[in-house]
Amino acid sequence: MKSYSRIVRALCVSGALSAGLVFGGAAHAGELLVSGAASLTNAFKEVGEAFEKKHSDTKVLNSFAASDVLLQQIVNGAPADVFASADQKAMDKAGEADVIVPDSRADFVRNQVVLIVPNDNPKNVEGLASLANADVTRIAFGNPETVPVGRYTKGALEKAGAWEAVTERQVLGQNVRQVLDYVSRGEVDAGFVFATDAAIMKDKVKVVETLETVTPVTYPIAVVKRDGANPQAQEYVDFILSDEGQEILAKYGFSKP
C-alpha cells in the first residue's frame, strides 16, 4: 500500500488542477496568495473581493484543492500566504512541518457532512440504511487518506456500522467538489459531501441524511511561514474572523465554530 506521503504527492498536481488555481513562480508585490480547501471555493472568492475593496493595493489569488494536497504543495515550497484547511489533521501536519505561524492559527467556521443523491434519486436512497441495498452499486466520497471530508465520512460511517457496506461500492474523489460533481451528474447513486457543497447545487442534488461525525467539522486557518510572505496575511485572517467576514461565510452555509 502506498504511504500517506506518496499518495498525497501523486495527487498533488492533479487534485489542484481539477479544483482550482495552482500558484506558479514567485509571488508579485501586492498579491496575497490564499490556499483554501475545495469546499471554500465559492465563499472565499467573495471574501477575497471584499478584502480587496478594503485594500486597493492588494490582489487576492486563491488556490483551491483538497486540504492535504495544498499542504503538500506548501511543504514543498509552493508560495502561499494563508492556509485554510477543512479539518484539524491537515493543519496539525502543517504545524508539525513548521510551515505556519502557530499564533495565527484559529478555527473560523463549522460545517456538517451529509449524504446526497441525484435529484431524481433513481435508487430511492433514503439514508444510510439504503446504501446496503443490492441495487446501490456506486457511492462516492473523498479519499480518507488525502481529503478531510473523506476522513469525517469514514469516522461517521464506522460509528454507524455502515463503513463496510459503503466501501464495497466506493468511488473515491480527489476532493469534495469532485464527489459533488459525480452525484450531480448521476454518475453515482449517492455521495458524501459537506452541507455547504450540497447547498450550491440544490437544483441537482438533495440531502437525505446528515451524519453524526466523530469530531466536529471545524475549519482552521493560519498564516504561512515563508520568506517573502505578504505582510497583509494576518490582516486577511483577521478579516475572515471579523463580523463582515463571518457574514459572507454564513451566506454560503458555514456557521461559527
Side-chain angles (χ1 to χ4, degrees), residues 35-37 40 67-68 83-91 108-109 148 151 218-222:
S35 291
L40 294 165
S67 299
D68 293 44
F83 176 41
S85 168
D87 77 347
Q88 301 297 332
K89 183 175 180 179
M91 191 62 76
F108 68 102
V109 287
R151 292 195 280 268
T218 54
Y219 289 44
I221 190 169

Side-chain angles (χ1 to χ4, degrees), residues 155-224:
L157 293 178
E158 288 177 336
K159 181 178 181 180
W163 178 239
E164 183 175 345
V166 170
T167 54
E168 291 174 351
R169 302 160 169 83
Q170 72 180 22
V171 175
L172 296 180
Q174 294 179 1
N175 57 70
V176 68
R177 290 299 172 90
Q178 186 176 63
V179 175
L180 180 65
D181 286 342
Y182 285 154
V183 180
S184 68
R185 295 195 296 258
E187 296 174 359
V188 295
D189 304 317
F192 294 94
V193 299
F194 289 125
T196 52
D197 295 292
I200 67 172
M201 283 197 177
K202 291 181 179 179
D203 58 328
K204 296 182 179 180
V205 305
K206 64 179 179 180
V207 175
V208 294
E209 187 170 342
T210 299
L211 274 63
E212 182 179 343
T213 55
V214 177
T215 58
V217 182
T218 54
Y219 289 44
I221 190 169
V223 172
V224 176

Side-chain angles (χ1 to χ4, degrees), residues 18-166:
S18 66
L21 170 71
V22 178
F23 301 135
H28 298 286
E31 292 181 343
L32 180 64
L33 311 179
V34 179
S35 291
S39 53
L40 294 165
T41 300
N42 300 67
F44 264 27
K45 286 180 179 178
E46 183 170 343
V47 166
E49 292 169 358
F51 186 82
E52 288 173 354
K53 289 179 180 178
K54 292 180 176 293
H55 303 81
S56 58
D57 58 341
T58 300
K59 177 66 176 177
V60 178
L61 300 180
N62 294 299
S63 175
F64 300 111
S67 299
D68 293 44
V69 171
L70 295 172
L71 167 62
Q72 194 66 28
Q73 291 175 351
I74 293 170
V75 169
N76 288 335
D81 297 307
V82 176
F83 176 41
S85 168
D87 77 347
Q88 301 297 332
K89 183 175 180 179
M91 191 62 76
D92 288 345
K93 288 184 175 294
E96 293 166 4
D98 195 31
V99 294
I100 59 170
V101 178
D103 292 344
S104 71
R105 178 174 176 170
D107 293 342
F108 68 102
V109 287
R110 186 167 179 164
N111 213 335
Q112 293 179 302
V113 177
V114 295
L115 172 61
I116 60 172
V117 296
N119 257 350
D120 57 353
N121 195 11
K123 300 298 178 67
N124 295 314
V125 175
E126 299 178 349
L128 290 181
S130 302
L131 300 182
N133 294 346
D135 62 339
V136 176
T137 58
R138 293 173 61 81
I139 304 169
F141 57 92
N143 186 339
E145 293 286 342
T146 57
V147 185
V149 72
R151 292 195 280 268
Y152 288 122
T153 298
K154 180 180 179 180
L157 293 178
E158 288 177 336
K159 181 178 181 180
W163 178 239
E164 183 175 345
V166 170

